[in-house]
Amino acid sequence: MTGRAKLFWRLMVRPIGREPVRMGLTILAVALGVAVVLAMDLAGTAATGSFRSSLETLTGHYNFEVTATGGVPEEIVGRIATSPINLAISPRMEDFAVVAATKKSVVLLGLDLVGEAEAIHLKSDDGASPSAPETENIATDFSADDSIWAGSSLGWQKGQHVSLIIGDRERTFTVRGTYDDQNQPAIVMDIAAAQRTVGRAEKVDRILIAIPESENLEAQTRQISALLPAGAEIRSAGTATDENRKMLAAFRWNLKLLSYIALIVAAFLIYNTISVSVVRRRAEIGIARALGASRSDVLLAFTGEAAVLGVAGAAIGVPIGRVMATGAVRLMGATVNALYVSSRPGPIELGANSIITALVVGIGVAILAAYAPAREASQIAPIEAMARGRREFLMRVHSLRDLTLAAIFGAAAWAAAKAPAVGGKPLFGYLATLLAIVAGTLAIPSVVHAAMKLFGATLQRTSVAALLASRSLLGSLRRTSVLVGALATAIAMMTAVGIMVGSFRTTVIQWMEGEVPADFYLRPAGNSSADRHPTISAELADKLATLPGVEAVDRLRAYQVSFDGVPTTVAAADLRESRKRGHSDFFSGRPAEEVLNELRSGDAVVVSEPFTYKHKLKRNDFISLRLGTSLASFRIADVYYDYGSERGFILMDRSAMKKYLPGDAPSNLAVYVANGADPAAIRKEIELAAANYRVLIFSNADLRKQAIVVFDKTFAITYALEAIAVFVAVMGVAGALLALVIDRKRELGLLRFLGASRAQIRRMILAEAALLGLVANAAGLLLGFALSLILVFVVNKQSFGWTIRFHWPVAILAGALSLIFVATVLAGFYPARIAVRLNPVEVVHEE
Amino acid sequence: MISLRNVIKNYHADGQLVRALNGVSLDVAPGEFVALVGRSGCGKSTLLNLAGAMDFPTSGEVFLDGISTGAQDDAALTKLRREKVGFVFQSFQLIHTLSVAENVELPLLLAGNPSARKIALGRLAAVELNDLDDRMPHQLSGGQMQRVAIARALVNNPKILLADEPTGNLDTTTGAVVLDLLKRLATEGKVATLMATHSMEAAAIADVVVELRDGRIAGLKRK
Amino acid sequence: MRNRAFCAALLLAIFPVLDAPYRVAAPGYRYEFPRDFFAHPEFQTEWWYTTGNVKTADGRAFGFELTFFREAVNRDASKQGAWDLRDIYLAHLALSDLDGGHFYHSERVNRSGPGIAGVDSAGGKVWNGNWSAVWKKDGSQELTARSGDFEFDFTLKSEKMPVVHGENGVSQKADGAGRASHYFSQTRLATNGTISVQGKQFRISGLSWMDHEFFTHQLSADQTGWDWFSIQLEDKTELMLFILRRQDGSIDPHSAGTYVDAAGKATHLRANEFSLTPTSASWKSVQTGATYPIAWNVVVPKLMITLSATTRLPQQELAATSKFAPGYWEGAMQFSGKHCSADILGVGYLEMTGYDHPLRWTK
């Protein structure tokens, strides 16, 4: 055993140390692969997995909640409080305030500061008891609408005056006290003042209820349910958080899978590294076999080498991943806020589990990738120890076999792409992507072979460097094709995601042309995100409508609802104006006017495509919605394309919404300028009219621009993941070229004997890099195109329900591919330097 | 054509100073065929490398066609090699990824000669391998490989030919054929040839036999 | 008076009187029932206070207390939202399991809000969450309360007319106009119903006593606490007696009492017409550190009443959970002694305040 260990050490581990740069690159590749996987896992858990709504603060020990669209009528609080059930309640107003000085958004809670425990004992949700807001004079403070109590992490002092933007109003508040918020900042008000501040009279946003656990629990909740109007429901506290978490799962899945690209690329590199080791050490392996090492010893030795690389990579990858996670959380958090729900990322927790997973993934991938070359090594006969010299003969390419397999995998990918989603997740879509990558990888040696032959024949007359480069690459075709495969896979994923995002972007831009017809849009300056709909004062809308030169003002009011356990937005709009101007395209193909007329009856809605996709609904189906105090049923009059919200959108006429929720404060305003009026002058008028309101005014162009900015921010993390994968692949190219240089030392020296200049040697190595880059780009582009079809039409559709129109983002792709090409050539510089510095006399020396 | 004047060459090997050549002076005229004999490590290869402008003397001077190698930069030396020097090696040193013709034309390609292939085919004919130009090196026998190497060494019409144990990897019969060819072509081309060899048969064909011992010329026999 | 003035004191400590003028208790107040059973929002402080001694058929005895307080804190007419703070409603609930040896108590603070707590004169209801007292059309009262430990539902039927304490409609507590309250009691309420404690239900019957008092700022600064008795004797007579203790240890001359004869006729008792004397038996609270005398001698010479008061459960202290409120002792008592030279037994309640620390007044 010790003998074997020694053998293992001498023949396998020690050589690793002899090529520190190349081994270092391989280890770094594994490290980055592991780091990305770990970072996305940690960030995913922090930003979405342990996602909690930022409203879930100071929620104490409450285990149930009563909610209703547009708020729970406040008398329900009295009904529940006096019900003959032993319970505690916490009626709450919940909103967001934007701190005028910092523009930061903070949760604003209106709590019953009298009723909730005696005096004011706010309990934090983890059971620890933050100190009560300090107050000297509750009676006076309560009577003042400007009283707030600030979470300690806001850093405000008692007595300080703070300007807050809530909805479309900015007001000054006085900090009456602070409380230990355990880093979950919130501004607390008394519920009476909060109701006035957020402008929701006679409603509370949520009633939290604590019922002690007992066998009667279910009966008790039924008892409470019986007290509620049809529009309100009792459910487990934090249900919204759970629903959001569920909704975020698809988003998280996609990112998680993207994070594995870098690891896949690293696997290619491990494969390459071990292959090189096997080729180089054929004689040593033969000797070892001749001296009595068994096949499994050899297999073990090389998988062992891979494991060493895996362990080293994972060990370095874990701390890198932790650092990356910080950035990733920020990016993911921004996306979650923009696209889904206002949230507060949890802390990044690098637990033993994450580390073990990272190690297992890193080492596992390394061993798996090394298995094939290690197995080949184990097949080496002892007789090879006697082989004179080492020659790497031309690898025979099993073109027919590989291409047949590629075709089979391609067909399997095609079949998988046709399969439906599993539990809302495009599992088969991912499988199709993987199969397509395998097919591409199998086809790549043949592609490289053909390409090199072609290039060689074409280029040999123009440049001896190109001839030598193409021949050299052909000569090490198996290795080369693995590298091209790695780079091509990275490029393919980048291209695919690039095409998907680009297509999406263009689709959104084109869609906005039709959907954003008004000249100006207004929204409150207060916090808004996919799930928050702060409102603009109704009188401002009225005022704007009377401005000369304004033809009409559309009011849109949106509410957050839960439909079938999935968060959704239900909105109401004046459909007169958009009907006139917009060219909303409906699935039925009917003219917008005809569809919107059906909504006037008040019992029909139109819904967005993601909504129908998520809930498997279609035109003329009926849906039930909790609105205000009612449970109302609506017919789906039609389905429209929408790229504004992944949550899904239900749109009804304003008159219909008013029946259930009479509040007339709009969430957004769309202002139409009369024909012939000067938009710039009208904008001034609007700004003047809105001087006392904190609203944001967007011109049509502004709005589109802003939408695209948000869009791009959303995909920032995707780009980052792609970039890392490509970086790893380019690093692999550098490492591989280095290996090629080292293996061809003698040849390079010979060329010098034959009259090659240093410049020619350098050019030759760079030409090899360029050829690799070129072939990889070509193969990657081709494979990427295939993958993009899967992403656009399968993965995206099944994850999010959007129909994206295919579009080539030519400029971006051309830019990215050129950049990768340049990077690949640059990656050749170090190996070229090594090649040039070789002493020809030494390397050709024959004894 | 090749002129060495009081050449001393030191190497550092494993931290120790090794004097490979110790005051060697030697002249090889155009068309002259000189054999270097001596035991392994006596300095034969070192002398060849110096004569091929692949290395520089520690002291003394090496003149190739009247040009002192010590005074030249790398580019000039490369040019010198391309135009005036050909090498033949013991283990042939063909590039396995290139065909026979490609191997032969390589020096011309490196020198940027536009009619490389034509000249190369001519050279192959001269070594009687004109029908093997499309073969890959591993498809050849040892003697054929060395003939290809000779064709390659002479493809640029060098004034200097340096051969390091050209028959070392060949059996006696094949070796004799190769040597004859080498001698014939060198003489036809008026090439100054310096051949390091162990073999007495090989040395026998030389115009001059120089014996090296411990880095010094121990004897010089002219035919 | 009634004990819970001290509770008012604690409320006052938190909620100082705003400038809004509240009405003070003044002589000549004309009582009218059922109107006066309910709220008097023009006075700052008001309470409804029910205590009782009840038993199961097989003799298992319980004492209970259910108290509703109302404290006006704001009368700003511009704020009429349901959540706007006008009154604070406080409630105390206690159960003395005299045979089980357990004392349970809890408290509640609420605003009226959208029906969370309040007084509904038209509906005949005083409530705080799901603790409530409801007056029925037939004159009976339903008392309901539930906490984590226990719950009860009682029906109370008054055997006598309400008794007004003090003289000329006011119960004077200190020198000076307005240092007084309007104070009446229902001294004999036949009680039936159920108690559930720790999951076990008991059908009970017994006697309850209800106090209702309303005033604005009645005590004076040198009064440090009081001891108050309600006594229901077997011969269908009742006594209410209280002494106000002063800083110097003396008994305030405004201490007073009321005797109710079997026919329901009330007699006012001045401070010098009775004596309440603690014996050496005492109980020290671990929670508050206060030492309470838990056995007393009650003597009313004029009525030929001599009673000794004892309790079966010493730990009937309502230790405050809020830092604002002092602790107090409020417990079920039993009485034995003589009335007009006949042996007599009785039940009742004793309240003792100011033992943990002197009551502090603001202003």
Side-chain angles (χ1 to χ4, degrees), chain A residues 35 38-44 46 319-332 348:
Chain A
L38 178 67
M40 294 314 292
D41 186 42
L42 291 177
I320 299 178
R322 176 61 185 77
V323 173
M324 281 181 176
T326 313
V329 162
R330 231 187 0 256
L331 289 174
M332 278 172 99
I348 297 169

Side-chain angles (χ1 to χ4, degrees), chain A residues 609-625:
Chain A
E609 184 190 12
F611 179 82
T612 50
Y613 193 86
K614 278 204 175 91
H615 300 287
K616 300 196 169 38
L617 290 165
K618 55 186 191 307
R619 194 178 148 217
N620 289 331
D621 284 346
F622 283 82
I623 56 172
S624 291
L625 292 174

